[in-house]
Amino acid sequence: MVRILVADAMSEEGLAPLLADPTIEVVQKKVGDVEDELDQFDALLVRSATKVTEQLLQKMKNLKIVGRAGVGVDNIDVDAATRYGVVVINAPNGNTISTAEHTFAMMASLVRRIPQAHISVKSREWNRSAFVGVELFGKHLGIIGFGRIGSEVAKRARAFGMHVHVYDPFLTKARAEKIGVDVCTLDELLAQADIITVHTPLTKETKGLLGPKNLAKTKKGVYLINCARGGIIDEQALISFLENGHVAGVALDVFEQEPPGDHPLLSFDNVIVTPHLGASTVEAQVNVATQVAQEVLTFLQGKPVTSSINLPTLSKDVYEKIQAFYTLARKMGILASQYMSEPVQEIAITYSGSVADLETTFITRSLLAGFLKPRVASTVNEVNAAMIAKERGIAFSEKFSANGNDYNNSITLTVYGENKTFTMKGTHIAHYGDRIVHFNGFAIDFAPEGHLLYIQHHDKPGMIGKVGNILGDHQVNIATMQVGRQEAGGKAIMMLSLDKPLDDTLVETLEQISDIDVVKRLEV
Ligand SMILES: NC(=O)C1=CN([C@@H]2O[C@H](COP(=O)(O)OP(=O)(O)OC[C@H]3O[C@@H](n4cnc5c(N)ncnc54)[C@H](O)[C@@H]3O)[C@@H](O)[C@H]2O)C=CC1
Ligand SMILES: O=C(O)CCC(=O)C(=O)O
């Protein structure tokens, strides 16, 4: 039974596919209420309240996936999750419209002083002259961060007759032209805008983006809006610029610390606030919960997820094309790691023929995960394989060749160790399966499956019989046997597939046969 912890409040309608699945147990409780069972959950679903720290990840030893029902993953230690091999997914667009609408509601409220007027009338006052606002029509709106939400805000602003200026260092010219916005530098935006709204993630670069230096470049009387993340506008700097009257008003949905408690910003009459409500609509909550629930289900069924933060994104289509090679690569990694039971410095992978045209990132990660698995105690999978390889000083590279070298497709693996180099070539044949067609310098043809026994020997009559007799005497049945040699009378190999694994004594007995140089058990 798969167990999923839903640690923050989430739409039941969105969670319905998980709740309806008889193979899944959904526990809707806060982390603190299930401390004793944390190591039993396979998946964790959160919004922004639960902090997914390294400490929590350490306790959740069985965790495979964290689903964030929303966009920002700043409440999740993604690096730590990656190290632990835990996939992190989010729901990138389920709350876009709601947040864009909230931003617009905040903008209109800010310039027309609706919250202040509302409080006044509720206090039994009728003071019309105290609440004279300004129109949005004809004003210059500066949008910092032109992703999903920024662009929805722009559409609405244009419908209001505003001039829209956009700053986003990652925005392509083609996309900007398509949407028809004025793309400018940050300095140009700061100088022109009557209202500035931020829609970036909170990163090292955006933390304090609107700080003392940049606020000084804005127009006197500017309005500021933050419905993205607390800290993009530096709160201390904001207080100074409100105090000196440079900033006319601010709308904040988010804070550096949430809840903000008795924050000095809350005392300003021209600061309007909401408690992180951007995504708080019925529609957005159903959307994001549905998206993560569906993704978690997909993931738990062993299929690729489309909105992972720490895995390459794969469409269903691409996944179907790479699936066979993904499995082959995994097996090749496992075999190579067992054969090269020594420290290695480099793994070079060459994709040839039809596989060279596919998205190989995932295939390479699968191969690395297979290679590292027998060597590391912790979880290793596609999420953390590249990172673990790097940590252990194992470089890896990919090369591509259109020519399949006698095969429609092939993956060639070269592992450089401290004392030797090992090569292997594998291919996938449709309706037939995976085959290893080159192993350690020998042409051969075997299926990389089950209990394998590799024997390297001198090419002499009777070698196969000797091995067969010993295995037969010990009740070990040989399922298949493939042989290969470099030249008649030279070095040769046998690859046997056995019905059960060999014990150490039997391996030692085989090693003692004269003319046998290497005996290796390989388990796939
Ligand atoms: N208040 C709320 O309840 C909600 C807040 N959010 C927040 O809104 C923000 C935007 O979300 P989306 O539009 O969905 O994200 P997105 O990823 O679609 O867009 C972010 C944009 O910021 C740009 N960007 C990154 N670094 C930048 C920099 N240094 N300067 C300027 N632009 C930069 C990126 O190129 C990208 O276009 C996020 O912080 C998200 O967490 C999202 C949903 C709800
Ligand atoms: O879960 C929420 O309501 C917060 C949404 C949010 O901030 C986000 O999606 O980034």
Side-chain angles (χ1 to χ4, degrees):
M1 171 80 76
V2 169
R3 296 193 86 205
I4 300 181
L5 177 62
V6 180
D8 293 327
M10 257 176 236
S11 148
E12 291 274 324
E13 188 184 333
L15 295 177
L18 299 178
L19 294 166
D21 192 320
T23 65
I24 293 177
E25 185 192 351
V26 179
V27 176
Q28 300 189 60
K29 285 187 179 164
K30 287 194 187 318
V31 166
D33 298 337
V34 284
E35 280 285 346
D36 296 346
E37 306 166 45
L38 285 175
D39 59 352
Q40 291 164 27
F41 292 102
D42 301 272
L44 170 66
L45 302 194
V46 298
R47 280 176 65 185
S48 54
T50 298
K51 306 292 172 232
V52 185
T53 58
E54 173 146 19
Q55 237 179 352
L56 177 60
L57 290 163
Q58 262 166 2
K59 291 182 189 166
M60 301 193 79
K61 294 203 184 317
N62 205 27
L63 193 66
K64 297 166 186 73
I65 184 165
V66 177
R68 159 72 163 109
V71 183
V73 287
D74 37 321
N75 55 321
I76 300 170
D77 187 339
V78 178
D79 285 344
T82 305
R83 271 200 304 283
Y84 289 98
V86 174
V87 175
V88 179
I89 57 158
N90 69 348
N93 44 27
N95 59 27
T96 300
I97 298 295
S98 291
T99 311
E101 287 182 358
H102 191 72
T103 305
F104 229 83
M106 291 293 256
M107 196 187 316
S109 304
L110 183 64
V111 298
R112 299 303 295 268
R113 310 198 65 215
I114 291 171
Q116 297 89 337
H118 168 89
I119 291 170
S120 164
V121 178
K122 288 269 186 156
S123 312
R124 312 293 185 265
E125 294 170 2
W126 191 256
N127 192 353
R128 295 178 65 220
S129 61
F131 301 108
V132 177
V134 292
E135 284 183 349
L136 293 176
F137 181 82
K139 296 291 182 301
H140 292 261
L141 175 66
I143 301 180
I144 300 180
F146 202 64
R148 287 172 289 258
I149 297 169
S151 34
E152 287 300 328
V153 169
K155 283 187 204 162
R156 283 149 186 79
R158 290 218 310 237
F160 267 66
M162 301 180 83
H163 306 286
V164 179
H165 312 276
V166 167
Y167 167 68
D168 187 326
F170 308 109
L171 178 64
T172 61
K173 212 165 166 253
R175 186 157 167 261
E177 273 166 12
K178 194 167 157 217
I179 303 171
V181 286
D182 168 38
V183 182
C184 55
T185 64
L186 181 59
D187 279 356
E188 285 164 351
L189 181 146
L190 297 173
Q192 290 172 57
D194 302 300
I195 303 167
I196 297 174
T197 181
V198 293
H199 297 287
T200 69
L202 181 65
T203 62
K204 276 203 308 293
E205 289 73 32
T206 62
K207 190 167 187 336
L209 184 68
L210 293 188
K213 233 169 93 191
N214 282 335
L215 285 176
K217 295 177 186 168
T218 58
K219 278 185 185 173
K220 185 166 166 47
V222 69
Y223 291 94
L224 304 173
I225 304 165
N226 187 359
C227 289
R229 277 295 176 269
I232 299 172
I233 307 182
D234 176 336
E235 289 176 356
Q236 282 313 310
L238 197 50
I239 291 171
S240 314
F241 281 77
L242 281 161
E243 278 170 351
N244 68 19
H246 183 89
V247 169
V250 181
L252 298 174
D253 183 44
V254 287
F255 300 85
E256 285 172 18
Q257 287 293 325
E258 290 181 9
D262 191 18
H263 198 292
L265 274 171
L266 302 179
S267 343
F268 288 87
D269 174 59
N270 50 351
V271 173
I272 66 167
V273 290
T274 45
H276 203 143
L277 290 185
S280 290
T281 62
V282 174
E283 294 85 348
Q285 286 316 307
V286 171
N287 289 345
V288 291
T290 307
Q291 275 180 17
V292 283
Q294 199 49 59
E295 282 278 87
V296 166
L297 257 187
T298 304
F299 175 82
L300 293 172
Q301 287 161 357
K303 295 185 199 145
V305 288
T306 54
S307 54
S308 171
I309 305 294
N310 54 358
L311 260 184
T313 306
L314 275 189
S315 67
K316 193 165 166 273
D317 201 35
V318 173
Y319 173 70
E320 275 163 12
K321 285 188 187 137
I322 67 155
Q323 194 179 12
F325 300 107
Y326 169 83
T327 313
L328 168 65
R330 174 66 62 111
K331 294 175 183 170
M332 288 177 69
I334 294 172
L335 278 177
S337 191
Q338 293 175 69
Y339 186 84
M340 284 288 279
S341 43
E342 61 169 273
V344 306
Q345 285 111 14
E346 193 183 337
I347 296 177
I349 306 159
T350 304
Y351 294 103
S352 308
S354 61
V355 64
D357 296 331
L358 301 179
E359 166 56 62
T360 54
T361 319
F362 222 80
I363 305 176
T364 296
R365 286 182 175 229
S366 175
L367 191 151
L368 289 176
F371 186 87
L372 292 165
K373 205 171 173 83
R375 294 171 180 243
V376 300
S378 53
T379 307
V380 54
N381 55 24
E382 298 71 22
V383 180
N384 58 2
M387 182 189 263
I388 291 181
K390 212 170 148 197
E391 272 172 11
R392 277 154 209 254
I394 303 174
F396 60 93
S397 62
E398 288 179 327
K399 278 196 190 140
F400 303 92
S401 152
N403 182 348
N405 298 323
D406 299 335
Y407 298 94
N408 174 277
N409 62 71
S410 68
I411 303 177
T412 305
L413 171 64
T414 308
V415 182
Y416 299 94
E418 280 188 340
N419 305 306
K420 58 178 186 263
T421 300
F422 168 78
T423 58
M424 180 180 3
K425 186 190 310 192
T427 186
H428 178 79
I429 303 169
H431 312 299
Y432 188 53
D434 299 329
R435 307 300 295 182
I436 301 301
V437 292
H438 227 269
F439 194 88
N440 203 23
F442 296 88
I444 194 163
D445 178 4
F446 69 94
E449 268 156 30
H451 314 296
L452 298 172
L453 178 66
Y454 170 85
I455 295 181
Q456 193 176 313
H457 59 95
H458 294 254
D459 185 30
K460 282 189 171 176
M463 295 306 295
I464 294 175
K466 284 183 190 172
V467 171
N469 282 341
I470 290 177
L471 294 179
D473 289 349
H474 291 83
Q475 304 303 311
V476 178
N477 195 40
I478 301 173
T480 64
M481 176 189 264
Q482 307 292 329
V483 291
R485 65 182 181 186
Q486 286 168 341
E487 62 194 47
K491 283 186 179 174
I493 62 167
M494 298 175 209
M495 187 65 83
L496 290 80
S497 150
L498 309 174
D499 283 352
K500 63 176 185 187
L502 287 194
D503 58 30
D504 292 348
T505 331
L506 210 40
V507 172
E508 281 162 22
T509 309
L510 290 168
E511 278 169 345
Q512 278 155 21
I513 300 177
S514 61
D515 292 316
I516 285 190
D517 295 331
V518 182
V519 178
K520 281 211 185 257
R521 277 171 298 193
L522 303 168
E523 294 287 324
V524 185

